[in-house]
Amino acid sequence: MWGGRFATPPSEALAALNNSLSVDRRLWAQDVRASKAWVTALQDAGVLDSEEAGLLHGGLDRVGDRLSGGAEAEATDEDIHTLVERLLYQEVGDLAGKLHTGRSRNDQVATDLRLWCLDALGPLDEQIAALGAALVVQARAGVDMLLPGYTHGQQAQPVRWAYVLLAHAWPLVRDRDRLADVRRRVAELPLGSGALAGSSVAVNRDLLRDILGFRTVSANALDATGDRDFVAELLFALTLLATHLSRLGTELVTYSSTEYGFVRLSDAFSTGSSLLPQKRNPDIFELARAKAARTLGDLVAMVGMLRALPAGYSKDLQEDKSLLFDAMDAALVTLPAVRGAVETMQPIPDRMQSALRETLLATDVADELVGEGVPFREAHGLAGRLVREAEDLGVSLRELPAERARKIHELLPDVLGRLGSFEDSVERRRTPGGTSRASVEAQLGALEQAFAVRSPTEAAT
Amino acid sequence: MWGGRFATPPSEALAALNNSLSVDRRLWAQDVRASKAWVTALQDAGVLDSEEAGLLHGGLDRVGDRLSGGAEAEATDEDIHTLVERLLYQEVGDLAGKLHTGRSRNDQVATDLRLWCLDALGPLDEQIAALGAALVVQARAGVDMLLPGYTHGQQAQPVRWAYVLLAHAWPLVRDRDRLADVRRRVAELPLGSGALAGSSVAVNRDLLRDILGFRTVSANALDATGDRDFVAELLFALTLLATHLSRLGTELVTYSSTEYGFVRLSDAFSTGSSLLPQKRNPDIFELARAKAARTLGDLVAMVGMLRALPAGYSKDLQEDKSLLFDAMDAALVTLPAVRGAVETMQPIPDRMQSALRETLLATDVADELVGEGVPFREAHGLAGRLVREAEDLGVSLRELPAERARKIHELLPDVLGRLGSFEDSVERRRTPGGTSRASVEAQLGALEQAFAVRSPTEAAT
Amino acid sequence: MWGGRFATPPSEALAALNNSLSVDRRLWAQDVRASKAWVTALQDAGVLDSEEAGLLHGGLDRVGDRLSGGAEAEATDEDIHTLVERLLYQEVGDLAGKLHTGRSRNDQVATDLRLWCLDALGPLDEQIAALGAALVVQARAGVDMLLPGYTHGQQAQPVRWAYVLLAHAWPLVRDRDRLADVRRRVAELPLGSGALAGSSVAVNRDLLRDILGFRTVSANALDATGDRDFVAELLFALTLLATHLSRLGTELVTYSSTEYGFVRLSDAFSTGSSLLPQKRNPDIFELARAKAARTLGDLVAMVGMLRALPAGYSKDLQEDKSLLFDAMDAALVTLPAVRGAVETMQPIPDRMQSALRETLLATDVADELVGEGVPFREAHGLAGRLVREAEDLGVSLRELPAERARKIHELLPDVLGRLGSFEDSVERRRTPGGTSRASVEAQLGALEQAFAVRSPTEAAT
Amino acid sequence: MWGGRFATPPSEALAALNNSLSVDRRLWAQDVRASKAWVTALQDAGVLDSEEAGLLHGGLDRVGDRLSGGAEAEATDEDIHTLVERLLYQEVGDLAGKLHTGRSRNDQVATDLRLWCLDALGPLDEQIAALGAALVVQARAGVDMLLPGYTHGQQAQPVRWAYVLLAHAWPLVRDRDRLADVRRRVAELPLGSGALAGSSVAVNRDLLRDILGFRTVSANALDATGDRDFVAELLFALTLLATHLSRLGTELVTYSSTEYGFVRLSDAFSTGSSLLPQKRNPDIFELARAKAARTLGDLVAMVGMLRALPAGYSKDLQEDKSLLFDAMDAALVTLPAVRGAVETMQPIPDRMQSALRETLLATDVADELVGEGVPFREAHGLAGRLVREAEDLGVSLRELPAERARKIHELLPDVLGRLGSFEDSVERRRTPGGTSRASVEAQLGALEQAFAVRSPTEAAT
């Protein structure tokens, strides 16, 4: 492609470092599509006549067909653009040499990569919604299952199983919202920017934008060819998504332990051990945690690479694709596995119930004292002393002898006497977003709509 | 605050690790503001009567006054919330104990931090716009200055000085757009979420939202108290912003070198050396590069900390604030310095002009051949051979003897004969976003509006 | 310091970004010490006479005295070196102007920072050893406490409590070994390198090395002044150390939950909740996890900053100190807190014992079959079916009716009949590093020596 | 491998996430080697008789032969261990089922990976030494070439070309030293640790250590199976190495620009442009910069993944291999390319010489004043004013009229009159590590030995 200027060909060591076909091969469909749009624009600008354009369109289609079947798997071209151009020469002869008129690798690869992102964002969004829906379906079935809610890994207040699952569903709503913002910024078309200074052919960039489905055209060619903000931003959105899966995963690893036992993973989504015959391992959730670390690594590499580059294209940018592909692959392989594990896991309400300790009601004790006019801060301290006293005696709160309770505060025996059930406690938190049935039902309704959850009836048809 | 439950006080080693007042002291204004909103909500819910509410409002105002003056600099409370509450006791006595009714540190700190972000985003946006405006003002003066444009650090095509500066202005437009998206997601109110399960007081959360200027209320209290996505997202936006400054900085470090000499930094924005008397160092731009690395480090710490946490509050989250403050401080100290350096730097058009090499027109040679019907790919190869030939002879393109040029292609002597000036070359790229005067003028117009650049007349008034 | 070259002083915006005194003030002792060594070297080289040297030594000592008391807390000098030099002028007058002869900020700050590291490494090592000793003391008391060992968060095989604790002690041995390697590379003296090219004064660098306690002198001044590998390497060692604390922390957070209940944290090393009166939170271990993420962020910032810098000093390097101080502070505040929590935590052997499930012996079943000649792979499959069968019936392995067991393999009823206790199982693993008493005792002995654990008798004296 | 325990096979989604053969296939040689050592240990322990051991050795050799030829490229086994075991069944039948006796995937994979690291460290070290040697050879030829030395990207003092190159060679010495330390910690043998608790077979681990060439055996099986510190540490060493290449690369990108023009890259190690015929791009050095960012990303992923894991094996650890392979591949593909570019680049001493500005001697002016008794700090200020005065008049230092110089200081005209050449200035810095010929020759000698540089005569034979 650039041999004319040099007396000797590139060394093997250079080629080994420089060639990117093994990575950017995945852009073949975008490269063909953008090249066809470019043909149309060149014809529109009078650079190609209609016959030439027709031949090039046909040739590019055949190149696409060859590549879609996985042909040229052993090709050793420098990159996918070179491969497509070489195949086009095979299809249409020297006419292929006109395709690159007014275009540069720099605007070409930026366009291909943005197209790839746009193509990938749809399926990604669907996978996130599907996981959200799976959480919501499990949650719908878990409204009446009570379990301890935790902060700092310690029992804090009783909550509904539905409520815990929904706490992991809402972050997915944010992920989808964030990805929609990313898409808006991805959809700026660089094609027509040339190498750095714009194209010497007066192509109609709005035409290109419409053909390729972009929102707008880039405003400065030097910026457009050296800009990879969109990759960094997509990687960040994937990092947060992966982080959300890691948080869900950590929680379910804990809950599927023998000691908690709140859920049991299905056989089809568990793994065993090569040595320990009894193991039922939550590998999926562990790998979800690891993928979050890995995706963060991809983001670090991408931003690190951009730092301190001048405007315009530098070869450093070539490394962007393997990072992006790695992170997107991680998301697309993790989401279905996590979803399957969530869909098929079996909650064990008996274990949840038996885990509830009466100290979970300590805040209710304080609240009751507040109802009697004790300032909260004092009531909190009294309830704390009550817990300590019961702990020292090795009894539950209600079992504490009345005189002992009265020593702490004269109202405490009464308060303890009318202390309600865990269900009562859960229903006390009626603010929007709280644990009460009404609040949880409202969340379920909103999320079923957001994730387009199909009812069992619908699903059956 | 939580002594009732324990027989012994916290150890010194625990306090040294755990106490966060030295960091979260900066949230004092938000803590007072959110506490006042909470008083209003408690009164609305009937928990406080109007006299109590009035006393608490007055007390909190006085606490705010004391803290705004930097009082209590030597306080050793566990955190800012404890300090505010302790001061409130000093102001209103035991009534202070009612403030925390139905509220938790978990929803309180999440609210304070979101408020802090909302407060910080405005000034940040202004600083970015001011830097953008400075770039545009310099660009407006640099439309007629031509210099080499670079890719891979090598001369590529001639461009306008304005054009280079604008390539660094457009990323700031994206930064502001991105920060507006971040703001939308920051503005979800957690207050009323309690510790994890919602508040036991039926406060009107919509009222709180309106008082505190949030967009909406959080949907799930377990999520809302353990969610720090907004911090991570703001840190990411700051990381990309810092990366943009690092790219501008790198380019200006290069251009202010003796060898390039395209710009000269002003005395007021340069530094010298303790040993080398002649030095005029671009410290600002170097520090801008370093701050980008540091902000990325803050992001890594934040996301790393979130990874694999269960839903709900864990103490790990306490580290969020120092990361966020560090990154925001970096932005707010870097932006004015970079802006000042940009505003006062002096372009040296003579050095720019003298740096232009005739090989910058090699693409124009190829384009001319294309105009004569040679397919681009072949024309590119011919122009490459021309460059090599001239290089071997040690002459410029136009100096190459005609017979030598003709040996490469018979049309080349003619093409070289009519090869235009660098200005001609710059004007050839007329696509939107290209180097032509019209395109650059259009960009200037758009960015002057975006950054609200004041004309010199306006600025004088 | 460098005003002569400029017509106007630095702008406020530049100073705000550039000045580093608030961070590098911590180097004051090293700066004074290295300056005194420099005085000696200048005298040795004949640049100062003995009277001048004496005056400068005295002046620097007095400057050190002033700074050690925290004086000059409100100083606004550019950095600590400027402050020290300014104070020295106050002490000895114009003679102070001779101190910087043949020296540069570049070799000065590199020397100060390496000295600071050398000073910090000793106390760090002691703190790590102290934590190691605390783990070993707890382990010594826990040799006879059996509990489930976990992989993938699932019960795997029975182990000793001592054994688990020692698995967290060995990484500390590696940390100390690694830090010793770091120290070797830190101890290369840059002083005498000047700004980039060596010193114009023929100082005896070996003399400087001996005075300041370095191992060797740097070999190339351009490298020595721009090298911060030692900071990066120390940050990495701190990152791994913090990661080890995070792993210990995670495990103890789990074990101190209500559901596991294997350990109970002491009051003095637990925290409570502002809302939930009953909470006993393991904040220390959560913060240890968070500090690991933060230290990694510091490392990322440091390495990111070094990437793509040319050789020699660039101002980017100024950011190194706040990263290093942050990470070292994190280590030095976390280690004592974790150690205290470990020293005072109370193991609950009853809960450990009651958590042991008979399926932990499934591998022993397979091993017994192997002893009867069944190839391990087949034996493993048979034991797996046994577990499934028992699980389906809701019985323990030994409770499985003999005819059911025989259907899986004829030898199984016999094997189940002679299945031993958990203690037997633990004693089966007698390879070095295994769970047997002998192996654990051997580890204890080795680590008591490594961490210099004092016996109770010694400790009392 | 673990089917017995489950009623249904793993789902496709689980397999897609979980299977690692595409990555860990690269461990095949290590897996076979470690398995053969295990056979020997099992025979030594009496678990296998000599005939069985012989058959297994033969079978494993044949499995190795099959895999070394790239057979089984389409295998779909879960991982390399499963593949090797399956092939072994094909070779020796049911006897293969005895191989895994007393061994676990957990100690197996840790052993394989450590073996892989040990195997990789040798070639890596050779490649680093080869690059070091290439720098030294270029440096030996560049002792007499003077050029400006830079700090902050600004001309600072004159230096030798050799000196600059050696500043990039010394970091490679540190890299090799660091990697030797890493090797020591890698060489701890985990085999015999079982899944977490040691092996139930009393294998002789010292025998295994000797066969496999490790330094020592691991001390605690729970630690040994969950420890990946060695991967993190190797990744860090690779990150610093890559950072060093990025610093060299950045400097050479600058020096190969038209504006500097100090070096010219060879054709075989340059690349061209698809659009711009004249380009000679330093892609290798740009990619070296990018690989440093990428390797840092791998490190972040690895450490991030380890953070907050409990002791022992968790599936998260499976992601370690792709990170390590990515970073090692990056090093092994970058080092030869950078070396080739360094070996074949051509220094342009004329351009270096013509870049030298007289202000590079400003420190010498100050030093001369010091020689006349002016304190350095004052002399520095005077030299700075001299530079400013000359700059204002647009003349060089020596061209400044004597009366102007005398106004600044009466001695200045004399000092300027005897100001030496750039060579004189370079020779002034005679401290070890300075720019003088003697110092540079000493460095060359030391590094020729360190990198075993062959003389041209030796190389020819």
Side-chain angles (χ1 to χ4, degrees), chain A residues 173-187:
Chain A
V173 173
R174 290 195 292 275
D175 287 324
R176 297 176 74 198
D177 190 44
R178 195 174 294 110
L179 284 163
D181 291 342
V182 173
R183 167 181 277 276
R184 215 173 65 242
R185 278 182 286 271
V186 169

PDB file of all heavy atoms in Angstrom, chain A residues 173-187:
ATOM      1  N   VAL A 173     -30.801  -0.511  34.673  1.00  0.00           N
ATOM      2  CA  VAL A 173     -31.532   0.599  34.045  1.00  0.00           C
ATOM      3  C   VAL A 173     -30.571   1.759  33.775  1.00  0.00           C
ATOM      4  O   VAL A 173     -30.589   2.365  32.691  1.00  0.00           O
ATOM      5  CB  VAL A 173     -32.701   1.048  34.949  1.00  0.00           C
ATOM      6  CG1 VAL A 173     -33.368   2.308  34.395  1.00  0.00           C
ATOM      7  CG2 VAL A 173     -33.715  -0.078  35.111  1.00  0.00           C
ATOM      8  N   ARG A 174     -29.752   2.040  34.754  1.00  0.00           N
ATOM      9  CA  ARG A 174     -28.757   3.106  34.545  1.00  0.00           C
ATOM     10  C   ARG A 174     -27.780   2.738  33.429  1.00  0.00           C
ATOM     11  O   ARG A 174     -27.374   3.594  32.644  1.00  0.00           O
ATOM     12  CB  ARG A 174     -27.973   3.350  35.839  1.00  0.00           C
ATOM     13  CG  ARG A 174     -28.781   4.003  36.939  1.00  0.00           C
ATOM     14  CD  ARG A 174     -27.890   4.544  38.059  1.00  0.00           C
ATOM     15  NE  ARG A 174     -27.212   3.520  38.828  1.00  0.00           N
ATOM     16  CZ  ARG A 174     -27.736   2.868  39.866  1.00  0.00           C
ATOM     17  NH1 ARG A 174     -28.984   3.090  40.264  1.00  0.00           N
ATOM     18  NH2 ARG A 174     -27.030   1.984  40.523  1.00  0.00           N
ATOM     19  N   ASP A 175     -27.391   1.473  33.384  1.00  0.00           N
ATOM     20  CA  ASP A 175     -26.454   1.060  32.330  1.00  0.00           C
ATOM     21  C   ASP A 175     -27.047   1.323  30.948  1.00  0.00           C
ATOM     22  O   ASP A 175     -26.356   1.799  30.051  1.00  0.00           O
ATOM     23  CB  ASP A 175     -26.138  -0.439  32.467  1.00  0.00           C
ATOM     24  CG  ASP A 175     -25.233  -0.735  33.645  1.00  0.00           C
ATOM     25  OD1 ASP A 175     -24.340   0.088  33.917  1.00  0.00           O
ATOM     26  OD2 ASP A 175     -25.410  -1.783  34.295  1.00  0.00           O
ATOM     27  N   ARG A 176     -28.307   0.981  30.805  1.00  0.00           N
ATOM     28  CA  ARG A 176     -28.927   1.170  29.488  1.00  0.00           C
ATOM     29  C   ARG A 176     -29.063   2.656  29.156  1.00  0.00           C
ATOM     30  O   ARG A 176     -28.893   3.065  28.005  1.00  0.00           O
ATOM     31  CB  ARG A 176     -30.297   0.477  29.454  1.00  0.00           C
ATOM     32  CG  ARG A 176     -30.181  -1.032  29.633  1.00  0.00           C
ATOM     33  CD  ARG A 176     -31.550  -1.682  29.692  1.00  0.00           C
ATOM     34  NE  ARG A 176     -32.167  -1.716  28.374  1.00  0.00           N
ATOM     35  CZ  ARG A 176     -33.461  -1.909  28.164  1.00  0.00           C
ATOM     36  NH1 ARG A 176     -34.298  -2.032  29.200  1.00  0.00           N
ATOM     37  NH2 ARG A 176     -33.941  -1.943  26.948  1.00  0.00           N
ATOM     38  N   ASP A 177     -29.377   3.438  30.153  1.00  0.00           N
ATOM     39  CA  ASP A 177     -29.469   4.886  29.955  1.00  0.00           C
ATOM     40  C   ASP A 177     -28.106   5.446  29.535  1.00  0.00           C
ATOM     41  O   ASP A 177     -27.994   6.248  28.604  1.00  0.00           O
ATOM     42  CB  ASP A 177     -29.918   5.524  31.283  1.00  0.00           C
ATOM     43  CG  ASP A 177     -30.291   6.983  31.140  1.00  0.00           C
ATOM     44  OD1 ASP A 177     -30.993   7.330  30.177  1.00  0.00           O
ATOM     45  OD2 ASP A 177     -29.882   7.779  32.004  1.00  0.00           O
ATOM     46  N   ARG A 178     -27.077   4.967  30.209  1.00  0.00           N
ATOM     47  CA  ARG A 178     -25.713   5.445  29.925  1.00  0.00           C
ATOM     48  C   ARG A 178     -25.290   5.018  28.518  1.00  0.00           C
ATOM     49  O   ARG A 178     -24.685   5.790  27.771  1.00  0.00           O
ATOM     50  CB  ARG A 178     -24.752   4.870  30.978  1.00  0.00           C
ATOM     51  CG  ARG A 178     -23.407   5.553  31.033  1.00  0.00           C
ATOM     52  CD  ARG A 178     -22.582   5.027  32.175  1.00  0.00           C
ATOM     53  NE  ARG A 178     -23.151   5.354  33.467  1.00  0.00           N
ATOM     54  CZ  ARG A 178     -23.703   4.501  34.314  1.00  0.00           C
ATOM     55  NH1 ARG A 178     -23.749   3.213  34.029  1.00  0.00           N
ATOM     56  NH2 ARG A 178     -24.214   4.920  35.452  1.00  0.00           N
ATOM     57  N   LEU A 179     -25.608   3.798  28.162  1.00  0.00           N
ATOM     58  CA  LEU A 179     -25.235   3.313  26.837  1.00  0.00           C
ATOM     59  C   LEU A 179     -25.965   4.082  25.739  1.00  0.00           C
ATOM     60  O   LEU A 179     -25.426   4.258  24.635  1.00  0.00           O
ATOM     61  CB  LEU A 179     -25.509   1.807  26.731  1.00  0.00           C
ATOM     62  CG  LEU A 179     -24.469   0.946  27.464  1.00  0.00           C
ATOM     63  CD1 LEU A 179     -24.990  -0.467  27.694  1.00  0.00           C
ATOM     64  CD2 LEU A 179     -23.158   0.920  26.676  1.00  0.00           C
ATOM     65  N   ALA A 180     -27.175   4.535  26.031  1.00  0.00           N
ATOM     66  CA  ALA A 180     -27.883   5.360  25.040  1.00  0.00           C
ATOM     67  C   ALA A 180     -27.146   6.685  24.839  1.00  0.00           C
ATOM     68  O   ALA A 180     -27.051   7.192  23.713  1.00  0.00           O
ATOM     69  CB  ALA A 180     -29.323   5.597  25.494  1.00  0.00           C
ATOM     70  N   ASP A 181     -26.620   7.233  25.908  1.00  0.00           N
ATOM     71  CA  ASP A 181     -25.810   8.457  25.780  1.00  0.00           C
ATOM     72  C   ASP A 181     -24.534   8.182  24.975  1.00  0.00           C
ATOM     73  O   ASP A 181     -24.110   8.999  24.157  1.00  0.00           O
ATOM     74  CB  ASP A 181     -25.415   8.990  27.162  1.00  0.00           C
ATOM     75  CG  ASP A 181     -26.601   9.542  27.929  1.00  0.00           C
ATOM     76  OD1 ASP A 181     -27.644   9.828  27.294  1.00  0.00           O
ATOM     77  OD2 ASP A 181     -26.495   9.689  29.159  1.00  0.00           O
ATOM     78  N   VAL A 182     -23.928   7.056  25.256  1.00  0.00           N
ATOM     79  CA  VAL A 182     -22.719   6.687  24.516  1.00  0.00           C
ATOM     80  C   VAL A 182     -23.041   6.592  23.031  1.00  0.00           C
ATOM     81  O   VAL A 182     -22.320   7.125  22.180  1.00  0.00           O
ATOM     82  CB  VAL A 182     -22.151   5.344  25.034  1.00  0.00           C
ATOM     83  CG1 VAL A 182     -21.001   4.876  24.141  1.00  0.00           C
ATOM     84  CG2 VAL A 182     -21.687   5.465  26.479  1.00  0.00           C
ATOM     85  N   ARG A 183     -24.130   5.924  22.719  1.00  0.00           N
ATOM     86  CA  ARG A 183     -24.508   5.761  21.307  1.00  0.00           C
ATOM     87  C   ARG A 183     -24.619   7.118  20.618  1.00  0.00           C
ATOM     88  O   ARG A 183     -24.186   7.283  19.480  1.00  0.00           O
ATOM     89  CB  ARG A 183     -25.844   5.012  21.206  1.00  0.00           C
ATOM     90  CG  ARG A 183     -26.485   5.056  19.820  1.00  0.00           C
ATOM     91  CD  ARG A 183     -27.820   4.308  19.771  1.00  0.00           C
ATOM     92  NE  ARG A 183     -27.633   2.885  19.571  1.00  0.00           N
ATOM     93  CZ  ARG A 183     -27.457   2.297  18.388  1.00  0.00           C
ATOM     94  NH1 ARG A 183     -27.438   3.036  17.272  1.00  0.00           N
ATOM     95  NH2 ARG A 183     -27.303   1.008  18.289  1.00  0.00           N
ATOM     96  N   ARG A 184     -25.195   8.080  21.293  1.00  0.00           N
ATOM     97  CA  ARG A 184     -25.335   9.401  20.695  1.00  0.00           C
ATOM     98  C   ARG A 184     -23.968   9.971  20.304  1.00  0.00           C
ATOM     99  O   ARG A 184     -23.815  10.572  19.241  1.00  0.00           O
ATOM    100  CB  ARG A 184     -26.011  10.338  21.708  1.00  0.00           C
ATOM    101  CG  ARG A 184     -26.938  11.356  21.103  1.00  0.00           C
ATOM    102  CD  ARG A 184     -27.686  12.131  22.176  1.00  0.00           C
ATOM    103  NE  ARG A 184     -26.809  12.931  22.998  1.00  0.00           N
ATOM    104  CZ  ARG A 184     -26.638  12.785  24.329  1.00  0.00           C
ATOM    105  NH1 ARG A 184     -27.289  11.853  24.992  1.00  0.00           N
ATOM    106  NH2 ARG A 184     -25.805  13.569  24.973  1.00  0.00           N
ATOM    107  N   ARG A 185     -23.008   9.780  21.166  1.00  0.00           N
ATOM    108  CA  ARG A 185     -21.678  10.329  20.862  1.00  0.00           C
ATOM    109  C   ARG A 185     -20.879   9.448  19.898  1.00  0.00           C
ATOM    110  O   ARG A 185     -19.972   9.927  19.227  1.00  0.00           O
ATOM    111  CB  ARG A 185     -20.902  10.587  22.158  1.00  0.00           C
ATOM    112  CG  ARG A 185     -21.283  11.934  22.803  1.00  0.00           C
ATOM    113  CD  ARG A 185     -20.486  12.241  24.056  1.00  0.00           C
ATOM    114  NE  ARG A 185     -20.910  11.437  25.189  1.00  0.00           N
ATOM    115  CZ  ARG A 185     -21.877  11.785  26.048  1.00  0.00           C
ATOM    116  NH1 ARG A 185     -22.519  12.929  25.917  1.00  0.00           N
ATOM    117  NH2 ARG A 185     -22.206  10.996  27.044  1.00  0.00           N
ATOM    118  N   VAL A 186     -21.208   8.166  19.861  1.00  0.00           N
ATOM    119  CA  VAL A 186     -20.547   7.296  18.865  1.00  0.00           C
ATOM    120  C   VAL A 186     -20.988   7.695  17.451  1.00  0.00           C
ATOM    121  O   VAL A 186     -20.186   7.661  16.519  1.00  0.00           O
ATOM    122  CB  VAL A 186     -20.895   5.810  19.127  1.00  0.00           C
ATOM    123  CG1 VAL A 186     -20.446   4.936  17.963  1.00  0.00           C
ATOM    124  CG2 VAL A 186     -20.255   5.323  20.427  1.00  0.00           C
ATOM    125  N   ALA A 187     -22.237   8.122  17.335  1.00  0.00           N
ATOM    126  CA  ALA A 187     -22.846   8.285  16.009  1.00  0.00           C
ATOM    127  C   ALA A 187     -22.462   9.599  15.325  1.00  0.00           C
ATOM    128  O   ALA A 187     -23.303  10.289  14.752  1.00  0.00           O
ATOM    129  CB  ALA A 187     -24.358   8.135  16.130  1.00  0.00           C
TER     130      ALA A 187
END
